[in-house]
Amino acid sequence: MRFESALALSLILYPSAFGVQAASTVDLGAWQSAYEKAITFISGLTNEEKIQIITGQNVDSADWTAMVFLDSAVSALNHFYVSGFPVGLTAAMTWDRDLIHKQYSALAYEHWHIGTQIINGPCDQPMGRVYWGGRNAESFGPDPYLNGIAFGIAAAAMKDQGIIAGGKHFLLNEQEANREYQDTSSVGGGGSSPNGAGGNSSMSMGGASISSMSVAMATSTSSAATTSSTSLTSESSLGAAYNSIVDDKALHETYLWPFYDGVKNGVGSVMCATNRVNESYSCENAPLLNKFLKTELGFPGIVIPDVSGQKTAFGSANGGLDYGSSSTWSNSTLLEGISNGTLAQERLDDMAIRNIMLYYFGNWDNQPESGDDYTYYDVRANHSDVIREVGAASMVLLKNKNNALPLNKPRSMSIFGVHAGPGMGGPNLAFTVGGEDSVFQGHLTTVGGSGAASLPYAVTPQAALTYRAMQDKTMLRWLLNDTYTLAAGNGGAVGASSYMTGTGASYGFASYASESEGCLVFINAAAGEGSDRSELRNTDQDTMITTVAENCNNTIVVVNSAGPRILESWADNDNVTAILYGSLLGQESGNSLVDVLYGDVNPSGRLAHTIPKNESDVEQFAVCHDLDCSYSEGNYLDYKWFAQQSIEPGYWFGHGLSYTTFSYGNIAVTSSNASSGYASGTPSVGGLSDLWDEAAELTVPITNNGTVGGAEVAQLYVSFPDEAEQPTRILRGFEKISLSAGEQGTVAFSLRKRDLAYWDVAVQAWKVAAGEYTFYAAASYADIRSQTTLTVA
């Protein structure tokens, strides 16, 4: 049996809107049994009971308990005795499939054991198109291939633990500014949302059912509850949310691409965003939800709204939303709509089926219910080890002059910056969905807002380094301030020469730096839900680094940032001997950093985004303060943009050094089933079935020709025939291989048909072009080691 009515319904109702024939059937695969159970269940329900189900209410008469949703993808938000995991960008920077699976499996284990069924995450978008985007750290980065692989692995890992992944935000939600009803003149980098809490905060409290979100949603939707139009003339006087304008090719090849991976690997809930896409609100956007997500991708699950995402009753119901506010979707409203033809009976059934099918797909009918109070239930197991491992594996060594790292029992060392030590209070950030200061005044380990971690503790670099100094008998001093100035009676400003020497030296960057064998400077860049970043660099931090470097010829800088951080003002300073760069590492952050600094872990992280030299390099990707935001660059995000514009960045996508060196042999095509033409497989969960067929396999030998063991991330980039109209080369494979000193191994890249396909806008289908493909084995986008070609007939 195949799923017939629900997935195709909106096309049956509105075929002329899309210029396509109604879809027939979708092969549900692993969802088939859940579908059959859902059909049986729904046959005995009244319309009133179906409405209760789609609005997150218990239905006692049907023995139905509302499903439990909870943020976030780095923690069981607002719970005690849970772990605080690294953010999504950190996971992506490991470029390690096994570690990504390990992290999200551990996260799901904790969610499951405190009573969650559906996690509002992982966060696939924002992808990071906007360099200043406030929520970029929550996602897996701007490359659709890397993002999609990580997204799919995370979803599969959650499903393995009995948890359903809720992918977000669908779609083109690339900035915080003006993402909801608001006056654009009041929104800016570093500002707060005039609507207060945004995102999904009301859906994430204490493990409660998502039905509680109806209270929060009612304030923004009740006035529109009986309206069936999403036209701007009926909007709040505060103004409409921004409108992402994107062409069909970029929509498919960049922004939809990762959702194929997510849906294929078990994403069962998709959160539609609060912004508009090509004029229509995401949660009422029939082409977006019904055509692309539910039909093209074969998504059988439910679409839920981000808070304030649902605007109208029938606009959202007919547009593809499956779960929403009981205020907007009241009995009287929906039943009247069915009576007068505004809402089809089949559509209400479709919504109910999807909700019930998700329950059975999670296998929750076979799980024992528990009446335990989970508030103080410790579910952390050994996950601190996982968090520490992921954090260390994600750190990217950008510079290592004269082998300044790893550290080896230095006799004296000073550490500088607020990021090295604890904040005045903590370890958790306050739950305020209004963005964060540019710099967190303490050690930054997570983001703000609904994507935050509920940290049980936070290991700071100062704590971890102090413990190491005790073991090594290192003399350790610290100055945990980014702007320290000596008191007037002690020599004036930073860097003054009239300071005491020895152990009684006056506090100062210059005095401590000049007397240390090594100087470690720690900086951070904070961000979170509610507003975008106000800067890509920070004057106080950069001044601190250059001041220390003027007085210390072995200055090592450690950066933890919620997004790209410009390093240009000091990166090439001769006295800055090493730069270690990463995102936000979670509760074990200090331990992870010290593991790498001392060489207990050889750095193997790679950049998941390109770091520009200057803000002007990425002006195209600034925060948009207009209602219409044009994505005129199309597919040319991140490294593709820099290459197209011939701009030399600070550090290329995929870059990262090691304490050893690796050499590559010749890459070769070992098998090929690739043929030109359109994808024509069976409509399935995750898209046409043949998109997932193996098209080719390539191998490349790699040798560790250094003196210590380490891991290399081999990257595969592909150049397409001209017909495909692709960037110069794009990522289409990566594998991480660990090798002992002197050891050789072989990396194998398996390419799916979709990896060689492009979106034919005219035909509205994926196609593999005939012609010559060039494959590059590389250590980063700019570091090509060997190449070969394959001609596809």
Side-chain angles (χ1 to χ4, degrees):
M1 180 186 292
R2 288 180 180 171
F3 188 51
E4 297 197 15
S5 62
L7 289 178
L9 176 63
S10 294
L11 293 181
I12 292 171
L13 290 175
Y14 308 113
S16 61
F18 308 119
V20 297
Q21 293 182 345
S24 54
T25 57
V26 172
D27 186 347
L28 286 174
W31 288 79
Q32 184 63 45
S33 175
Y35 168 69
E36 293 169 359
K37 291 178 180 179
I39 289 293
T40 300
F41 188 95
I42 197 176
S43 64
L45 297 182
T46 66
N47 279 347
E48 289 83 356
E49 289 170 332
K50 295 170 189 175
I51 292 170
Q52 286 179 280
I53 287 173
I54 68 173
T55 54
Q57 303 177 61
N58 295 335
V59 186
D60 295 336
S61 57
D63 195 25
W64 171 266
T65 302
M67 294 180 288
V68 181
F69 296 64
L70 185 65
D71 296 333
S72 71
V74 294
S75 213
L77 191 64
N78 284 350
H79 276 264
F80 293 108
Y81 305 110
V82 296
S83 300
F85 289 86
V87 297
L89 187 58
T90 294
M93 290 173 72
T94 68
W95 293 65
D96 190 316
R97 298 167 190 260
D98 292 337
L99 278 185
I100 295 170
H101 190 281
K102 187 183 290 188
Q103 170 170 326
Y104 287 96
S105 178
L107 169 77
Y109 173 94
E110 297 197 11
H111 268 280
W112 175 250
H113 284 86
I114 58 93
T116 308
Q117 292 172 307
I118 302 170
I119 298 176
N120 291 324
C123 187
D124 157 77
Q125 292 181 27
M127 293 179 68
R129 173 193 179 270
V130 177
Y131 264 69
W132 290 260
R135 301 187 73 173
N136 290 350
E138 296 180 45
S139 179
F140 300 115
D143 181 79
Y145 180 87
L146 175 60
N147 188 312
I149 293 296
F151 188 35
I153 291 172
M158 290 178 180
K159 182 64 171 62
D160 290 345
Q161 293 293 333
I163 289 285
I164 296 299
K168 60 182 188 181
H169 302 87
F170 196 81
L171 196 64
L172 295 140
N173 178 192
E174 291 295 320
Q175 64 181 51
E176 294 298 279
N178 196 30
R179 73 173 188 171
E180 300 183 62
Y181 288 146
Q182 53 192 309
D183 183 351
T184 56
S185 65
S186 67
V187 182
S192 62
S193 167
N195 287 332
N200 18 312
S201 57
S202 65
M203 302 160 69
S204 59
M205 301 298 108
S209 166
I210 198 173
S211 59
S212 63
M213 84 172 184
S214 60
V215 177
M217 291 182 63
T219 61
S220 62
T221 60
S222 58
S223 63
T226 59
T227 308
S228 60
S229 171
T230 56
S231 66
L232 298 185
T233 57
S234 63
E235 299 292 0
S236 162
S237 60
L238 290 175
Y242 70 83
N243 176 36
S244 297
I245 302 173
V246 66
D247 66 71
D248 190 46
K249 187 173 178 66
L251 187 146
H252 280 83
E253 294 177 355
T254 293
Y255 298 99
L256 272 180
W257 180 281
F259 272 96
Y260 274 84
D261 291 280
V263 171
K264 177 70 173 178
N265 285 281
V267 165
S269 171
V270 166
M271 181 182 290
C272 51
T274 57
N275 59 283
R276 293 178 293 146
V277 175
N278 293 337
E279 300 298 342
S280 296
Y281 275 99
S282 297
C283 294
E284 308 201 343
N285 194 320
L288 204 63
L289 302 181
N290 293 327
K291 180 185 178 185
F292 298 137
L293 179 62
K294 293 182 178 180
T295 303
E296 184 180 308
L297 273 68
F299 175 63
I302 62 172
V303 177
I304 71 171
D306 201 342
V307 170
S308 83
Q310 185 179 21
K311 307 300 181 185
T312 66
F314 300 115
S316 60
N318 292 323
L321 197 67
D322 302 297
Y323 188 106
S325 164
S326 59
S327 173
T328 304
W329 282 348
S330 64
N331 277 353
S332 60
T333 301
L334 293 191
L335 293 178
E336 182 181 351
I338 289 175
S339 176
N340 63 27
T342 307
L343 178 68
Q345 177 67 52
E346 292 83 1
R347 175 59 185 134
L348 177 60
D349 292 344
D350 176 28
M351 291 188 279
I353 289 170
R354 288 173 178 274
N355 278 266
I356 295 163
M357 186 163 58
L358 183 58
Y359 174 86
Y360 287 119
F361 182 65
N363 198 35
W364 300 325
D365 54 322
N366 293 319
Q367 299 295 332
E369 293 186 11
S370 173
D372 293 343
D373 179 0
Y374 293 113
T375 306
Y376 297 101
Y377 185 46
D378 193 328
V379 297
R380 290 174 287 178
N382 67 337
H383 299 158
S384 59
D385 295 339
V386 176
I387 294 166
R388 183 171 181 168
E389 184 181 9
V390 171
S394 74
M395 292 303 296
V396 182
L397 184 63
L398 295 180
K399 182 179 181 180
N400 197 21
K401 179 184 176 184
N402 299 326
N403 296 319
L405 292 177
L407 300 173
N408 183 22
K409 296 184 178 181
R411 295 183 62 201
S412 62
M413 184 165 60
S414 293
I415 56 179
F416 302 90
V418 295
H419 183 54
M424 288 297 293
N428 290 291
L429 304 177
F431 192 96
T432 53
V433 188
E436 305 296 326
D437 291 336
S438 298
V439 175
F440 179 68
Q441 299 302 304
H443 189 59
L444 183 65
T445 61
T446 191
V447 295
S450 63
S454 296
L455 299 160
Y457 58 81
V459 179
T460 68
Q462 182 192 32
L465 287 166
T466 299
Y467 182 72
R468 192 64 178 247
M470 292 165 56
Q471 296 175 305
D472 293 348
K473 296 182 171 56
T474 298
M475 187 182 80
L476 181 67
R477 293 191 287 191
W478 58 84
L479 186 49
L480 306 185
N481 192 292
D482 292 350
T483 58
Y484 187 78
T485 301
L486 295 178
N490 288 328
V494 172
S497 60
S498 56
Y499 55 80
M500 295 175 60
T501 60
T503 57
S506 298
Y507 302 149
F509 294 146
S511 57
Y512 275 17
S514 63
E515 295 188 347
S516 297
E517 184 178 305
C519 301
L520 272 64
V521 188
F522 293 85
I523 63 173
N524 71 57
E529 180 180 10
S531 69
D532 298 306
R533 295 169 63 192
S534 60
E535 60 186 23
L536 299 184
R537 67 175 100 203
N538 180 267
T539 301
D540 291 337
Q541 291 179 340
D542 292 344
T543 299
M544 173 178 61
I545 293 168
T546 54
T547 303
V548 171
E550 286 170 2
N551 296 275
C552 179
N553 64 5
N554 186 24
T555 297
I556 297 163
V557 182
V558 178
V559 184
N560 290 105
S561 177
R565 207 284 190 189
I566 292 175
L567 317 175
E568 192 62 20
S569 63
W570 45 264
D572 293 331
N573 188 311
D574 284 342
N575 285 348
V576 174
T577 53
I579 303 172
L580 196 60
Y581 182 97
S583 193
L584 311 181
L585 310 185
Q587 69 188 44
E588 293 289 323
S589 182
N591 284 332
S592 296
L593 293 172
V594 168
D595 286 345
V596 176
L597 289 169
Y598 280 83
D600 298 332
V601 173
N602 194 335
S604 62
R606 299 294 183 263
L607 290 177
H609 54 245
T610 298
I611 300 176
K613 287 186 176 181
N614 298 289
E615 292 85 350
S616 59
D617 296 342
V618 288
E619 286 178 337
Q620 170 71 17
F621 308 104
V623 175
C624 171
H625 294 290
D626 298 322
L627 285 181
D628 289 330
C629 301
S630 175
Y631 291 30
S632 59
E633 72 285 342
N635 284 316
Y636 289 86
L637 296 188
D638 199 75
Y639 64 90
K640 304 165 192 174
W641 171 262
F642 284 84
Q644 183 202 44
Q645 300 294 314
S646 299
I647 299 172
E648 184 66 26
Y651 299 93
W652 283 100
F653 172 84
H655 175 68
L657 304 175
S658 171
Y659 296 152
T660 188
T661 56
F662 298 91
S663 61
Y664 287 56
N666 293 323
I667 187 172
V669 177
T670 55
S671 66
S672 174
N673 299 310
S675 60
S676 63
Y678 293 99
S680 58
T682 303
S684 305
V685 175
L688 298 180
S689 59
D690 59 335
L691 288 172
W692 303 93
D693 293 344
E694 184 176 86
E697 182 181 80
L698 297 94
T699 59
V700 60
I702 298 177
T703 303
N704 180 345
N705 51 17
T707 58
V708 297
E712 171 72 339
V713 178
Q715 301 160 43
L716 179 71
Y717 294 87
V718 182
S719 291
F720 286 68
D722 291 343
E723 175 191 327
E725 297 182 321
Q726 294 297 303
T728 302
R729 57 181 181 272
I730 56 179
L731 183 71
R732 280 297 183 261
F734 65 89
E735 296 294 336
K736 198 167 197 175
I737 183 171
S738 295
L739 298 170
S740 302
E743 182 182 6
Q744 183 183 86
T746 299
V747 166
F749 302 107
S750 177
L751 283 88
R752 308 160 298 188
K753 183 172 184 175
R754 68 183 297 243
D755 297 328
L756 297 180
Y758 73 95
W759 183 252
D760 187 323
V761 174
V763 179
Q764 290 288 287
W766 292 102
K767 182 183 181 182
V768 176
E772 185 174 274
Y773 292 76
T774 303
F775 299 98
Y776 305 88
S780 76
Y781 176 79
D783 188 0
I784 304 300
R785 301 298 182 90
S786 66
Q787 66 186 68
T788 190
T789 59
L790 171 66
T791 299
V792 175

